[in-house]
Amino acid sequence: MTRIRAASVVLFVALACGLAWLVALPLWLGDGLAEPSAWFLLPVMMLTPALAALVVTLALRVPAPGERLRFLGIWPLRPARRVVWLMVAGWLVPPVLVALGIVVAAAFGWVQLDPTFSAFSAEIARSLPAGAPMPPIELIVISQIVMIPVGALINSVLAFGEELGWRGWLVPALRPLGTWPALLISGAIWGLWHSPVILLGYNFGRTDITGVLFMIGGCMAWGVLLGWLRLRSASVWPAVLAHGSLNAAAGLVLIFAASQPDLALAGPLGVAGWIVAAAVIAALALTGQFRRQPELAGAPGRLLSAPRAGRGPQPS
């Protein structure tokens, strides 16, 4: 990495994490996640990586003006067919992986499944106004599952704020280190960025360093998959849809669980999710899916290591 690229990465990480803590500060000074402003502050926090990317891009001119849209993966969408198919995969596959994670968690005994949905039914009943009729729980469950693709599109709006920073800017910026370092380091930073809310009990209900470590593990696992979408398509949009889809499907385990599970083990960002992600990553690696990619602005072609001197981009 050149000196300016290293400086830009440090500035980006400092800005993204610093702004996240700044946005979350009212939660720390108030009632934590129960603070009334949490519904507003949590989505705003998702915009901080995009803001950090824009500041670094404008202040340090990394990337240069002529290649910014290409570097960030916003435009052009080429090769178009691959971008479209990977966008569809990013939209529809994460809920399947989350569901497989539930199966893995049940197999290891980390969650007890309840086919009658009694725990979920009780939770719905508690949320209804007094005297309101309770709809059939099966209808609620089906509607929740059917609405996941729609929720994925809605969640993608805010997920763009994160993805423009993590997969749009940071992964290409780290690309000279090699693909695997770029994917794993960006995933670890992504997980660490969540610290202001993880330490308040978000996601795992753990308010100590273990919650942060579990989040880093989950973000590294999913970060490789989202990063693969980014690099294989040369576009940020498949990763945006995949992030939105993951967020939309993340609560599936709570629908099927007989009691509140330990999400550090049974959740999509917990150990069960790591196992599923590792299996998919292994399958992609064994079938050669990490070997080639379209050219990235400032980071041409070859995936398994940093571009070698004297070698041009490999064919996609």
Side-chain angles (χ1 to χ4, degrees):
M1 297 175 70
T2 63
R3 181 177 301 174
I4 185 63
R5 181 62 56 81
S8 66
V9 169
V10 172
L11 178 60
F12 168 81
V13 174
L15 279 173
C17 293
L19 289 171
W21 275 101
L22 182 63
V23 170
L25 185 60
L27 304 181
W28 281 84
L29 298 177
D31 294 329
L33 298 176
E35 185 69 21
S37 59
W39 70 270
F40 171 74
L41 294 176
L42 292 177
V44 170
M45 181 175 159
M46 295 179 69
L47 301 177
T48 58
L51 181 57
L54 292 176
V55 169
V56 172
T57 297
L58 295 175
L60 298 185
R61 300 173 67 84
V62 176
E67 58 182 24
R68 285 172 181 170
L69 291 181
R70 180 66 174 171
F71 183 95
L72 294 171
I74 296 174
W75 190 264
L77 305 181
R78 292 199 303 261
R81 187 162 73 171
R82 179 182 299 166
V83 173
V84 170
W85 277 111
L86 289 176
M87 287 175 68
V88 172
W91 178 37
L92 298 179
V93 171
V96 177
L97 301 186
V98 171
L100 290 175
I102 297 173
V103 175
V104 169
F108 280 95
W110 297 331
V111 63
Q112 181 181 353
L113 301 182
D114 179 8
T116 67
F117 310 109
S118 57
F120 182 59
S121 178
E123 186 66 28
I124 294 294
R126 282 193 293 269
S127 67
L128 292 175
M134 175 72 177
I137 188 60
E138 294 81 6
L139 181 61
I140 296 176
V141 170
I142 292 172
S143 65
Q144 291 281 316
I145 294 173
V146 169
M147 286 299 293
I148 286 176
V150 178
L153 297 177
I154 296 171
N155 279 304
S156 294
V157 175
L158 287 174
F160 176 75
E162 286 195 50
E163 289 306 312
L164 185 66
W166 306 131
R167 258 62 62 176
W169 192 91
L170 184 58
V171 166
L174 294 174
R175 177 65 181 78
L177 296 177
T179 292
W180 291 106
L183 296 180
L184 294 173
I185 293 171
S186 62
I189 294 171
W190 179 30
L192 185 64
W193 169 85
H194 288 86
S195 296
V197 291
I198 296 297
L199 292 172
L200 291 173
Y202 195 71
N203 277 108
F204 305 116
R206 296 168 181 251
T207 56
D208 56 17
I209 189 62
T210 62
V212 175
L213 294 176
F214 275 111
M215 193 65 184
I216 290 174
C219 287
M220 290 178 71
W222 282 94
V224 171
L225 296 178
L226 270 61
W228 174 78
L229 288 172
R230 165 70 172 100
L231 293 174
R232 194 72 178 93
S233 66
S235 170
V236 75
W237 300 113
V240 169
L241 284 167
H243 192 154
S245 187
L246 171 61
N247 287 354
L252 271 178
V253 65
L254 301 178
I255 294 177
F256 293 94
S259 59
Q260 175 66 41
D262 184 352
L263 294 178
L265 298 175
L269 291 168
V271 179
W274 305 356
I275 294 172
V276 172
V280 176
I281 292 166
L284 291 172
L286 290 173
T287 55
Q289 292 300 307
F290 281 92
R291 288 187 184 145
R292 293 172 184 163
Q293 68 177 44
E295 182 179 351
L296 298 181
R302 190 171 176 269
L303 266 186
L304 289 180
S305 65
R308 295 177 182 174
R311 292 191 58 173
Q314 299 298 301
S316 62

